Each structure stands twice: as C-alpha cells, then as structure tokens.
Amino acid sequence: MFLELPFPEPQAKADFVVKGWGTRRGEDALIYTIPNRKNPTKPSENGITVSEFEAAFAQLKSSGQFTRAWFNSELPACAGEGSCNFTSIGGIFELLSLARYAGRGVYERV
C-alpha cells in the first residue's frame, strides 16, 4: 500500500497528492492526482518520470535554481503533458526540503 501524500503547489485551491508509481512516456514515473474542476469527485492524474526528476535535481544542484524557463526548454515532453508538472516537481523538492518556492517560475535550493 502506498501512502497518499499531499505536496505544496503554489496558488492551488485543493491538494495535489502523490498517488504512487506508474508509467509515463515509457518510463517509471511518480504519479500524482490534481484537482478536476469539471468533476471534483474524480481527480485527474499526471506523472513525472524518474529521468525528469533526475534532470531537474541535477539542475537544482548545479545552478541553485530550478526554473520554468529551464523546465520548458530541457524537459519539453514533461512540460507538454501539463504545466503543473513544473510546480509539482518543485513541490516534491519542497516536501523533501531540497528547495523552496522563490516566486513565480523559480524554486531555489535550500
């Protein structure tokens, strides 16, 4: 059994919640639920692959920041699946005390 775990999401009105492991774009991925405005009783699902997390973490470590500009440029498939993937990666980094939300489009290493 996987513990469903909410994580920080700037400006969200409802929880984004880690659901468990699955597959996205042919790779192992962390799957999370997001609020569904059209049907609040059935949240939508999205996911971020292991390699996308690794790339984002490497960027955070090397530059001290994880930005939306970098995300859109370097992880276009992840960005194309949903813009919330950026803030979800950042929220997971916050949950792990690796980064903090520094303002629109920027997470900073802590």
Side-chain angles (χ1 to χ4, degrees):
M1 184 170 137
F2 196 89
L3 175 66
E4 292 189 355
L5 185 63
F7 57 90
E9 184 76 18
Q11 302 173 10
K13 292 179 173 56
D15 286 340
F16 281 48
V17 179
V18 172
K19 181 179 178 185
W21 292 103
T23 304
R24 286 290 188 273
R25 295 176 294 287
E27 187 179 333
D28 287 341
L30 186 72
I31 306 301
Y32 64 94
T33 61
I34 58 178
N36 182 339
R37 287 183 222 144
K38 293 180 182 177
N39 185 354
T41 62
K42 186 174 181 346
S44 299
E45 287 186 2
N46 217 342
I48 303 161
T49 68
V50 171
S51 66
E52 290 161 346
F53 268 114
E54 290 173 340
F57 182 60
Q59 173 64 15
L60 180 67
K61 282 191 339 184
S62 68
S63 74
Q65 292 187 326
F66 171 59
T67 66
R68 182 169 303 272
W70 180 91
F71 172 77
N72 289 342
S73 170
E74 301 301 317
L75 300 175
C78 189
E81 186 178 86
S83 61
C84 60
N85 277 346
F86 168 73
T87 51
S88 294
I89 292 171
I92 299 294
F93 287 167
E94 281 190 287
L95 189 64
L96 297 171
S97 299
L98 299 171
R100 70 173 185 84
Y101 180 69
R104 188 172 180 90
V106 180
Y107 287 86
E108 292 179 342
R109 184 178 61 213
V110 292

